[in-house]
Amino acid sequence: MSLLEAAVERIVIGADHVHNAATVRRRQRQFVPPSELRPDLPTRADTALLDQLFYATVDECHECRSRLLDRVAGDVWTTRKLIDWACLITSETYGGLPAELVDDDASADSVFRPSATFRRLAAQYHNPGPTNAIYDACTAAERREAADTAVALVDGLQMWWTDFLYQ
């Protein structure tokens, strides 16, 4: 068992089970979990927590997902890593971030309705600053809402690929 896998196993969220790569339900396409996004760069984000959130979402375990979202929202660095991960996957899928994810008017007509906070944070994705000022300015509830949107976006892309935003 790798160090990361051991860390995921130790995360206690009040459930009698864990979500990891071995337990995740198989789908057509698997994205790289957040812990594997730029592992060469040091990070303050809790990537094991993000991996478990991703796997709980794919497993459709709503209780675990809700608890994990609460934990993610409490950490600015972890929330930022999740948003960056979702934006990177989306940018690679569509060749950039679609207007539906960053523009209020475009998202109003979309089947997938990203939260206002996610749109604001995603709009900053291509202009990353040296600090987390925009994330620090968000409340925990706003970060949770944005994190929920981010993980739902990646899960939807995993299930439907490019059709997800344009169903």
Side-chain angles (χ1 to χ4, degrees):
M1 178 180 291
S2 75
L3 185 60
L4 179 60
E5 290 170 331
V8 170
E9 292 294 331
R10 284 193 302 269
I11 293 176
V12 178
I13 59 169
D16 60 354
H17 59 277
V18 295
H19 299 276
N20 58 33
T23 64
V24 73
R25 189 167 34 100
R26 297 288 172 218
R27 292 215 177 147
Q28 296 173 344
R29 179 177 172 83
Q30 293 291 324
F31 288 114
V32 173
S35 64
E36 295 178 29
L37 173 63
R38 304 293 311 263
D40 55 318
L41 296 177
T43 182
R44 293 166 145 178
D46 187 343
T47 56
L49 175 64
L50 292 177
D51 286 358
Q52 197 171 30
L53 172 60
F54 173 58
Y55 296 138
T57 300
V58 172
D59 281 341
E60 297 179 1
C61 185
H62 303 292
E63 180 182 346
C64 289
R65 180 179 173 178
S66 180
R67 289 181 181 163
L68 290 164
L69 280 167
D70 289 342
R71 290 184 56 195
V72 167
D75 182 1
V76 171
W77 289 99
T78 302
T79 304
R80 181 174 184 167
K81 176 85 173 184
L82 180 63
I83 303 298
D84 287 351
W85 174 71
C87 288
L88 175 68
I89 288 171
T90 305
S91 291
E92 288 180 350
T93 301
Y94 294 106
L97 287 177
E100 290 82 0
L101 298 181
V102 295
D103 182 73
D104 293 341
D105 294 331
S107 68
D109 297 330
S110 172
V111 173
F112 178 74
R113 303 262 167 101
S115 71
T117 304
F118 179 85
R119 288 193 309 270
R120 190 171 73 245
L121 298 174
Q124 291 298 311
Y125 173 70
H126 291 296
N127 304 315
T131 67
N132 283 329
I134 191 168
Y135 289 85
D136 287 331
C138 295
T139 65
E142 289 172 324
R143 286 192 304 270
R144 187 186 195 285
E145 180 181 82
D148 188 28
T149 298
V151 77
L153 174 61
V154 174
D155 187 44
L157 290 172
Q158 181 167 265
M159 178 70 100
W160 301 100
W161 195 233
T162 56
D163 291 340
F164 178 61
L165 293 180
Y166 305 106
Q167 298 182 41

CSV table of all heavy atoms in Angstrom, one decimal, residues 37-38 83-93 97 125:
chain,number,residue,atom,x,y,z
A,37,LEU,N,-2.6,15.3,-9.7
A,37,LEU,CA,-2.5,16.5,-10.5
A,37,LEU,C,-1.3,17.2,-10.1
A,37,LEU,O,-1.2,17.7,-8.9
A,37,LEU,CB,-3.7,17.4,-10.4
A,37,LEU,CG,-3.7,18.7,-11.0
A,37,LEU,CD1,-3.5,18.6,-12.5
A,37,LEU,CD2,-4.9,19.5,-10.7
A,38,ARG,N,-0.3,17.3,-10.9
A,38,ARG,CA,1.0,18.0,-10.6
A,38,ARG,C,1.6,17.5,-9.2
A,38,ARG,O,1.9,18.3,-8.3
A,38,ARG,CB,0.8,19.5,-10.5
A,38,ARG,CG,0.2,20.1,-11.8
A,38,ARG,CD,1.1,20.0,-13.0
A,38,ARG,NE,2.5,20.5,-12.8
A,38,ARG,CZ,2.9,21.7,-13.1
A,38,ARG,NH1,2.2,22.6,-13.6
A,38,ARG,NH2,4.2,22.0,-12.9
A,83,ILE,N,-10.8,23.2,-7.2
A,83,ILE,CA,-11.3,24.0,-8.3
A,83,ILE,C,-10.3,24.0,-9.5
A,83,ILE,O,-10.7,23.9,-10.6
A,83,ILE,CB,-11.5,25.5,-7.8
A,83,ILE,CG1,-12.5,25.6,-6.7
A,83,ILE,CG2,-12.0,26.4,-9.0
A,83,ILE,CD1,-13.9,25.1,-6.9
A,84,ASP,N,-9.0,24.1,-9.2
A,84,ASP,CA,-8.0,24.0,-10.2
A,84,ASP,C,-8.1,22.7,-11.0
A,84,ASP,O,-7.9,22.7,-12.2
A,84,ASP,CB,-6.6,24.3,-9.6
A,84,ASP,CG,-6.3,25.7,-9.2
A,84,ASP,OD1,-7.2,26.6,-9.5
A,84,ASP,OD2,-5.3,25.9,-8.6
A,85,TRP,N,-8.3,21.6,-10.2
A,85,TRP,CA,-8.3,20.3,-10.8
A,85,TRP,C,-9.5,20.2,-11.8
A,85,TRP,O,-9.4,19.8,-12.9
A,85,TRP,CB,-8.5,19.3,-9.7
A,85,TRP,CG,-8.7,17.9,-10.1
A,85,TRP,CD1,-7.8,17.0,-10.7
A,85,TRP,CD2,-9.9,17.1,-9.8
A,85,TRP,NE1,-8.4,15.8,-10.8
A,85,TRP,CE2,-9.7,15.8,-10.3
A,85,TRP,CE3,-11.1,17.4,-9.2
A,85,TRP,CZ2,-10.6,14.8,-10.2
A,85,TRP,CZ3,-12.1,16.4,-9.2
A,85,TRP,CH2,-11.8,15.1,-9.6
A,86,ALA,N,-10.7,20.7,-11.3
A,86,ALA,CA,-11.9,20.7,-12.2
A,86,ALA,C,-11.7,21.6,-13.4
A,86,ALA,O,-12.1,21.2,-14.5
A,86,ALA,CB,-13.1,21.1,-11.4
A,87,CYS,N,-11.1,22.7,-13.2
A,87,CYS,CA,-10.9,23.6,-14.4
A,87,CYS,C,-9.9,23.0,-15.3
A,87,CYS,O,-10.0,23.2,-16.6
A,87,CYS,CB,-10.4,25.0,-13.9
A,87,CYS,SG,-11.7,25.9,-13.1
A,88,LEU,N,-8.8,22.4,-14.9
A,88,LEU,CA,-7.9,21.8,-15.8
A,88,LEU,C,-8.5,20.7,-16.6
A,88,LEU,O,-8.3,20.6,-17.8
A,88,LEU,CB,-6.7,21.2,-14.9
A,88,LEU,CG,-5.7,20.4,-15.8
A,88,LEU,CD1,-4.9,21.4,-16.7
A,88,LEU,CD2,-4.7,19.7,-14.9
A,89,ILE,N,-9.3,19.8,-16.0
A,89,ILE,CA,-9.9,18.7,-16.7
A,89,ILE,C,-10.9,19.3,-17.7
A,89,ILE,O,-11.0,18.9,-18.9
A,89,ILE,CB,-10.6,17.8,-15.7
A,89,ILE,CG1,-9.6,16.9,-15.0
A,89,ILE,CG2,-11.6,16.9,-16.4
A,89,ILE,CD1,-10.2,16.1,-13.8
A,90,THR,N,-11.7,20.3,-17.3
A,90,THR,CA,-12.6,20.9,-18.2
A,90,THR,C,-11.9,21.6,-19.4
A,90,THR,O,-12.3,21.5,-20.5
A,90,THR,CB,-13.5,21.9,-17.5
A,90,THR,OG1,-14.1,21.3,-16.4
A,90,THR,CG2,-14.6,22.5,-18.4
A,91,SER,N,-10.8,22.3,-19.1
A,91,SER,CA,-10.1,23.0,-20.1
A,91,SER,C,-9.5,22.0,-21.1
A,91,SER,O,-9.5,22.3,-22.3
A,91,SER,CB,-8.9,23.8,-19.5
A,91,SER,OG,-9.4,24.9,-18.8
A,92,GLU,N,-9.0,20.9,-20.6
A,92,GLU,CA,-8.5,19.9,-21.5
A,92,GLU,C,-9.6,19.2,-22.3
A,92,GLU,O,-9.3,18.8,-23.5
A,92,GLU,CB,-7.7,18.8,-20.7
A,92,GLU,CG,-6.4,19.4,-20.2
A,92,GLU,CD,-5.6,18.4,-19.4
A,92,GLU,OE1,-6.1,17.3,-19.1
A,92,GLU,OE2,-4.4,18.7,-19.1
A,93,THR,N,-10.7,19.1,-21.8
A,93,THR,CA,-11.9,18.4,-22.5
A,93,THR,C,-12.4,19.3,-23.6
A,93,THR,O,-12.7,18.8,-24.7
A,93,THR,CB,-13.0,18.1,-21.5
A,93,THR,OG1,-12.5,17.3,-20.4
A,93,THR,CG2,-14.2,17.4,-22.2
A,97,LEU,N,-12.1,26.9,-20.9
A,97,LEU,CA,-13.2,26.8,-20.1
A,97,LEU,C,-14.4,27.4,-20.9
A,97,LEU,O,-14.4,28.5,-21.4
A,97,LEU,CB,-13.0,27.7,-18.8
A,97,LEU,CG,-12.1,27.1,-17.8
A,97,LEU,CD1,-12.0,28.1,-16.6
A,97,LEU,CD2,-12.6,25.8,-17.3
A,125,TYR,N,-9.2,31.2,-12.9
A,125,TYR,CA,-8.3,30.0,-13.2
A,125,TYR,C,-7.1,30.3,-14.1
A,125,TYR,O,-6.0,29.9,-13.9
A,125,TYR,CB,-9.1,28.8,-13.7
A,125,TYR,CG,-8.3,27.7,-14.2
A,125,TYR,CD1,-7.6,26.9,-13.2
A,125,TYR,CD2,-8.1,27.4,-15.5
A,125,TYR,CE1,-6.8,25.8,-13.6
A,125,TYR,CE2,-7.3,26.3,-15.9
A,125,TYR,CZ,-6.7,25.5,-15.0
A,125,TYR,OH,-5.9,24.5,-15.4
